[in-house]
Amino acid sequence: MTGRYDSVPVAGTTVPDGVGGLREVRHLRRRPLPELRDVRAAATHRVTAGDRLDLVSHRYLGDATAWWRIADANGALDPEALTGPDAEGELIVIPLPGV
C-alpha cells in the first residue's frame, strides 16, 4: 500500500526571509480526492458505537494506517465524522485495497 501523499508533487514558493532576502519554502500540492463515482467498493460497514476508523481499516484492509482510503472513498474531509456518535447506524464504503 502507498501513503496518503506518495503521489502528490512537491512545489516551492518564494517568500521573504525576514532579513531582507528571499527563501524558498517547499510544500506538497493539494491532494485531489477521488471521484466518488469511481470508487470500487469491496464492502460496506455499518457503524456501531465505539467504532474508530483506524480499527475499521485494520479489519477490512489489514492496515490501520490506511484509514484515509476509507475517508476518501466516502468523501469525508473529517474522518471522525464517519465513525463518531452521530454516524452510528450509517453505512460507510470500504474501498478495494490499494485502489
Side-chain angles (χ1 to χ4, degrees):
M1 235 176 242
T2 61
R4 190 176 196 183
Y5 296 99
D6 282 353
S7 63
V8 177
V10 176
T13 302
T14 303
V15 297
D17 66 5
V19 292
L22 298 173
R23 67 183 175 98
E24 183 181 37
V25 175
R26 300 185 51 78
H27 58 89
L28 294 174
R29 293 205 177 272
R30 181 172 290 187
R31 185 179 68 87
L33 294 176
E35 292 290 330
L36 295 182
R37 69 176 180 268
D38 295 336
V39 173
R40 294 176 31 212
T44 56
H45 173 79
R46 186 165 307 276
V47 177
T48 60
D51 272 347
R52 290 190 350 222
L53 203 50
D54 60 334
L55 299 177
V56 172
S57 177
H58 183 266
R59 176 178 172 189
Y60 289 96
L61 303 178
D63 181 357
T65 66
W67 60 267
W68 59 273
R69 292 186 183 278
I70 297 172
D72 283 2
N74 289 276
L77 295 178
D78 177 7
E80 290 187 24
L82 291 176
T83 56
D86 293 339
E88 193 170 335
E90 297 290 326
L91 286 175
I92 56 176
V93 171
I94 309 299
L96 288 171
V99 178

